Amino acid sequence: MSFPKKPGGKGLDVLQTLPRISLENLRPEPGARHRERRRGRGQHGGNRSGRGHKGERQRGTRPRLGFEGGQTPFYLAIPKYGFNEGHSRRPQYKPLSLKRLQYLIDLGRVDPTQPIDLTQLVNARGVTIQPLKRDYGVQLVDEGADIFAAKINIEVQRASEGAIAAVERNGGVITTSFYDPISLDILIKPVPFFMRGQPIPKRMLPGEDMVPYYTSAENRGYLADPAKIQEARLALAQKYGYVLPDISVDELYRMLATRKDVRQIFFGLSPGWVVNVTERKILKPTDEKLLKYYNS
Amino acid sequence: MAVSLLCRRTGSFSIRLYSRKPALPPSPHCGFLLQTACYNPKPLKLNIRDPYIPDKDSERTPEWQKTAKYDRKLYGRYGSASGIDPASLWPSHEELDKIIAEEKEWQPSLEVMLKNIEARENEEAEKRREKEKIIAANMAKMPQMVADWRREKREAKQKLKEEKARREKLLAEARERFGSSVDPRSPKFLEMVAELEKEEKKKKKLLKRRLREEQAAGAGPTPAASS
């Protein structure tokens, strides 16, 4: 004759008999708190207080870092070469790994059912862009490509081949586009820009050195030929060994196919419009000259 | 997303909430039930009830509050309550002309840029091809040049050997004649060398004469025999 087992068992008994949790019953995990090292106190901290025996070490008069006792130090002996020349003028791109992107999507900070833009990423606090530090946007890095599983329409400024493959393997769309520094500043902080009362400016084209990058289909540039991009998608699928899913039969095809115009900064807002935050109004210019300029 | 952010920041007097679906465990497949988080942004203190709009006519307002830039910011903050004509927010015709001229000068169009890039690449390709041609031509000449150089080296070596042999012979002659080794720089040696050279010249002349006589003798009897 076997007695029926109580659900919970011994654990439940113990829980019911133990006293309630209070400060008296709590103690940190062993190894969680490390004792502070106090110098000049006690047998081990006192005497020379961890400074050693006599000399510059104990007396704190050691020479500067890199000094080699009078011999020409290494950092002066090696001749200069222009490795870092013009480093402060080089465009920088904040990295965004696919692992982090998946993390943001899983936590619900980024909405995969809408086109993902730099504004969305900054709103979700996924990346922090500093346009004043020569940041020209965000670059997609292929760390976490093996765990990435989200169908998204994402627009970044640079992307590695592995990242492009990972996005397209899951049936998504990736585009690389260029934002000049003023447009970038507006893109990452739209509300302070609208408070300035200025009309939305046109996005400028990239410089001559970046035009080859944004016109090539391998990088999914926004200036590239759509037919060539399709070919490149097939070629990449063959290279990385996956079957390219057909997005035209997808239910979210319209969302995946939305792309910004070359001169557009925001989805749904054209250059030349003034957005007023207080009154929820958009003012559009009617003068032909202005319209011609903003639509060129 | 930007619109939702806007509505949230102006939450003080507008209560237009977008309906957030109930908290279901988000899965990548049922996309429309996904709950997206919104950060609570800092409250936008627009100060609409008591706006400060500077008096343009009085002298006490600072100069910077009468500029067009400040007017735009006023409009951006207070909207039509600021009393600024919205048409002034866009650039005037003259300013627009300036902007267009600047853009034409500093921002070339995509076609122009592509042409420049192509031209530059063609130039570089040309230069490389020229260089490669020169290199190929020179490489084709290489075996000949190598053979020439080797020949010259051999000849120089041979000449040196011959010189040495000649000097040795002269020294030997001198020793024979004078009985002891003589310094090649002394005048005795030089006289001896001069004598030897004279004798050699005479011999050569005799040889030449003999050859010519033989040739003449050979040429003489043969036409006589043939005719």
Side-chain angles (χ1 to χ4, degrees), chain B residues 20-215:
Chain B
R20 293 258 164 255
K21 296 282 189 292
L24 272 177
S27 65
H29 300 292
C30 43
F32 48 86
L33 281 175
L34 199 66
Q35 190 181 36
T36 42
C38 270
Y39 273 90
N40 272 330
K42 275 200 294 200
L44 201 64
K45 300 219 170 87
L46 287 172
N47 197 17
I48 291 186
R49 279 179 221 134
D50 186 21
Y52 171 71
I53 293 158
D55 191 11
K56 293 285 164 69
D57 307 315
S58 92
E59 301 134 356
R60 288 175 63 189
T61 50
E63 286 309 312
W64 59 274
Q65 286 183 6
K66 297 178 192 167
T67 51
K69 209 169 157 190
Y70 190 79
D71 286 341
R72 279 198 211 113
K73 286 190 191 166
L74 270 181
Y75 188 86
R77 266 181 91 91
Y78 302 121
S80 47
S82 62
I84 287 161
D85 180 26
S88 66
L89 300 172
W90 282 274
S92 67
H93 280 253
E94 294 82 23
E95 285 169 14
L96 189 63
D97 287 332
K98 270 195 223 166
I99 292 170
I100 291 172
E102 203 188 318
E103 238 176 77
K104 266 215 181 99
E105 197 194 332
W106 293 109
Q107 321 267 4
S109 75
L110 193 63
E111 294 88 18
V112 171
M113 278 201 279
L114 286 170
K115 255 192 273 174
N116 286 353
I117 290 167
E118 230 189 277
R120 218 173 347 137
E121 274 177 22
N122 284 350
E123 222 186 280
E124 274 173 33
E126 270 297 316
K127 269 198 211 158
R128 237 181 299 132
R129 244 180 288 146
E130 290 298 308
K131 246 191 176 174
E132 274 172 24
K133 261 194 227 165
I134 293 170
I135 290 170
N138 287 345
M139 287 305 288
K141 278 196 248 165
M142 271 311 273
Q144 183 58 33
M145 286 166 72
V146 164
D148 283 340
W149 179 80
R150 286 204 179 130
R151 189 171 33 93
E152 270 166 29
K153 282 273 150 167
R154 242 182 303 139
E155 277 171 15
K157 250 196 207 171
Q158 253 183 327
K159 266 197 204 139
L160 273 173
K161 271 193 215 159
E162 277 169 24
E163 267 288 323
K164 230 181 159 181
R166 200 175 64 89
R167 249 184 261 138
E168 292 276 299
K169 255 199 297 182
L170 284 171
L171 265 175
E173 267 288 330
R175 208 177 291 146
E176 234 189 85
R177 291 229 186 140
F178 302 121
S180 57
S181 53
V182 194
D183 195 23
R185 288 169 282 187
S186 61
K188 271 203 285 187
F189 190 79
L190 291 171
E191 282 172 22
M192 188 208 77
V193 164
E195 278 177 29
L196 277 169
E197 275 183 12
K198 271 194 200 161
E199 282 169 23
E200 271 197 46
K201 271 192 201 164
K202 280 187 195 158
K203 274 189 200 164
K204 271 193 194 159
K205 273 194 182 166
L206 281 169
L207 263 171
K208 270 192 195 166
R209 255 195 228 144
R210 264 189 224 151
L211 272 169
R212 253 188 261 150
E213 281 167 14
E214 273 177 19
Q215 273 185 352

Side-chain angles (χ1 to χ4, degrees), chain A residues 3-63:
Chain A
F3 287 101
K5 254 178 139 183
K6 242 191 324 185
K10 291 196 187 140
L12 202 58
D13 291 333
V14 168
L15 250 180
Q16 283 169 344
T17 48
L18 276 177
R20 69 160 57 151
I21 286 180
S22 65
L23 280 176
E24 271 74 35
N25 306 327
L26 292 173
R27 169 206 294 215
E29 191 72 21
R33 300 289 155 100
H34 192 74
R35 266 195 203 282
E36 183 202 329
R37 187 185 190 161
R38 293 183 72 217
R39 308 268 182 175
R41 299 279 184 282
Q43 182 191 4
H44 303 288
N47 196 14
R48 296 204 195 89
S49 308
R51 291 297 305 240
H53 173 71
K54 283 195 197 174
E56 285 177 341
R57 294 159 196 248
Q58 196 177 18
R59 292 168 182 146
T61 46
R62 268 206 255 214

Side-chain angles (χ1 to χ4, degrees), chain A residues 161-162 164-166 168-171 218 220 229-246:
Chain A
E161 211 185 26
I164 298 172
E168 291 183 348
R169 184 190 301 144
N170 291 305
E218 280 81 33
R220 310 290 185 271
I229 288 185
Q230 188 55 31
E231 286 172 16
R233 280 165 66 97
L234 291 164
L236 200 68
Q238 279 199 337
K239 178 174 175 182
Y240 277 78
Y242 60 89
V243 174
L244 187 70
D246 193 9

Side-chain angles (χ1 to χ4, degrees), chain A residues 36 51 59 62 77 83 91 125 176 184 196 207 224 255 288:
Chain A
E36 183 202 329
R51 291 297 305 240
R59 292 168 182 146
R62 268 206 255 214
F83 290 116
R125 312 295 193 273
T176 46
L184 191 71
R196 278 180 236 160
M255 184 281 287
E288 305 128 10

Side-chain angles (χ1 to χ4, degrees), chain A residues 35-107:
Chain A
R35 266 195 203 282
E36 183 202 329
R37 187 185 190 161
R38 293 183 72 217
R39 308 268 182 175
R41 299 279 184 282
Q43 182 191 4
H44 303 288
N47 196 14
R48 296 204 195 89
S49 308
R51 291 297 305 240
H53 173 71
K54 283 195 197 174
E56 285 177 341
R57 294 159 196 248
Q58 196 177 18
R59 292 168 182 146
T61 46
R62 268 206 255 214
R64 66 184 180 276
L65 182 68
F67 187 66
E68 289 176 21
Q71 168 183 289
T72 313
F74 173 80
Y75 73 93
L76 289 180
I78 303 297
K80 274 202 216 180
Y81 185 81
F83 290 116
N84 296 335
E85 196 180 320
H87 73 283
S88 59
R89 282 167 224 239
R90 287 183 205 154
Q92 298 180 14
Y93 299 88
K94 275 281 196 301
L96 173 70
S97 62
L98 288 166
K99 188 172 150 194
R100 179 141 176 91
L101 187 58
Q102 185 66 53
Y103 172 82
L104 295 169
I105 291 169
D106 289 339
L107 259 62

